[in-house]
Amino acid sequence: MRLNGEVSHKEEEEEGEKENGNLLPQKVVVVGYALTSKKKKSFMQPKFEVLARKKGIVFIAIDLNKPLSDQGPFDVVLHKMSGKEWCEVIEDYKQKHPEVTVLDPPDAIRHLHNRQSMLQNVADLDLSDCHGKVCVPRQMVIKKDPLSIPDEVFEAGLKLPLVAKPLVVDGTAKSHELFLAYDRFSLSKLEPPLVLQEFVNHGGVLFKIYIVGEAIKVVKRFSLPNVSKCELANVGVHSFPRVSSATASADDADLDPSIAELPPQPLLERLSRELRSRLGLQLFNIDMIREHGTRDVFYVIDINYFPGYGKMPGYEHIFTDFLLNLAPAT
Ligand SMILES: O=P(O)(O)O[C@@H]1[C@@H](OP(=O)(O)O)[C@H](OP(=O)(O)O)[C@H](O)[C@H](OP(=O)(O)O)[C@H]1OP(=O)(O)O
Ligand SMILES: Nc1ncnc2c1ncn2[C@@H]1O[C@H](COP(=O)(O)OP(=O)(O)O)[C@@H](O)[C@H]1O
Ligand SMILES: [Mg+2]
Ligand SMILES: [Mg+2]
C-alpha cells in the first residue's frame, strides 16, 4: 500500500482532512477498476465514492483501449469483464505486477460461469456440525440433443418439476432465461446446453448471502412460490421472470417466520469461509433456499461473481473496510 503523500491526490486528501476532524487518512489505496457501464452505475454510487475518498481510497477507471501496465500504479485491481482477451490481459498483468492485488483470478471466476461447476464445491462440503445441512438440488447437464432429454431425465430419476437453466452464465439476459418444466416431454422444446435442476419448494423466500472477503451480509428476497400437489399435474415449460433480482427486498415483509427466519449464523460463516477458500474468490454471493417444512435443510442454487453489491445494505462501509484491510501483495 502506498503511504499518504506518495501519490498526489490533493483534493481527496483535503476533503479527508476536513471530514475526518483534521485527521488525514493513514494511507492511500489506489484501486483500478474495469466494470461494465451497468456495473459501474450500480457499484460506484456517489455515497460510496465520497466515503471511499474520505478513507483514502482513490478509484481510477481502467481504459480498456490502453495497456494496463501504462496505467496506475494500482494497489488493487477490481474487475468484472468477460472475454478471453481480457482474461489474458489480467493474467499477464498479475505476472508482471505481483505486488498488485487482483480481485479475483480469472480462472477462479470462470468456475462460476458454468452452472454445473459453480455448485461442485458445495456438493463436496460436509457442514453437518454447523446447525444445519447445506445441499445442492439434484441436477443433470444436457449438452446437445434436446430430443434425448425425456429419456435422460427418466434414466437419471430426476423428480419433476424441473428448473431448466442455461448452462453458461455469461452476463447476457439469455443466460438468465429460466424455465419451469412440469413434464419431461416438453423439455425437448428447450435449447441445450442446459442444466436441469429439481425444483425445491421453499415458501417463496430466498436468502442472498453476500461475501466481501471475510465479511458476510445476508438479505431476504422474494422467490418462486411453492408448487402445490395439484400443480404437479400441469404440463409444459413455463418461462419465469427474475423474481429475486428485484430491488424490493423481502426483509421488511410480514412473512411466516418458519420460512423467513435467517439461516443460522455459524452455518453461514462456515459455508462462506469454505467457499471462499475452495473457490479462491473474495467477491461473490450465494443464493440459498430453505426446504419448505424444514428448519435447517438448505439448498444452494446459484453463486454469482461480483454481484450487485449496490443492493447490499451498508456496502459502502463493508467494501471500503475490505479494500483498506487487504494485505499488500508481496
Ligand atoms: O445487476 P445487478 O446489480 O442486479 O447484479 C446482478 C446479480 O444480481 P444480485 O446482486 O445477485 O441480485 C445477478 O445475480 P443473480 O444471477 O440474479 O442471482 C448476477 O450476478 C448478475 O451478473 P451476471 O449477469 O450473471 O454477470 C449481476 O449483474 P451485473 O451487475 O454484474 O451485470
Ligand atoms: N432448484 C430450484 N428450486 C426452486 N427455485 C429455484 C431453483 N433454482 C432457481 N430457482 C428460482 O429461480 C431464480 C433464478 O435462479 P438462479 O439459479 O438463481 O439463476 P440466476 O443466475 O439467473 O439468478 C432463483 O432466485 C429462485 O427464485
Ligand atoms: Mg440467482
Ligand atoms: Mg446467477
Side-chain angles (χ1 to χ4, degrees), residues 128-144:
S128 50
D129 55 341
C130 270
H131 309 90
K133 198 172 158 200
V134 180
C135 323
V136 296
R138 294 214 306 139
Q139 65 176 35
M140 68 183 294
V141 175
I142 303 291
K143 287 249 165 75
K144 272 199 188 123

Side-chain angles (χ1 to χ4, degrees), residues 2 20 40 59 64 85 88 129 136 143 145 164 166 169 191 196 204-206 218 220 256 263 282 313 317 330:
R2 260 164 217 94
N20 259 343
K40 184 180 168 196
F59 284 109
L64 299 178
E85 215 178 300
E88 282 165 13
D129 55 341
V136 296
K143 287 249 165 75
D145 179 13
V169 186
E191 213 183 297
L196 300 177
V205 173
L206 171 131
V218 54
K220 281 174 248 177
D256 176 348
Q282 309 250 45
H317 285 275
T330 47

Side-chain angles (χ1 to χ4, degrees), residues 115 165 176 178 197-200 206 223 240 244 287 302:
R115 293 190 192 267
K165 311 183 183 187
H176 295 288
L178 273 54
Q197 194 176 79
E198 287 187 351
F199 181 87
V200 178
L206 171 131
S223 179
F240 59 83
S244 73
D287 288 354
D302 187 23

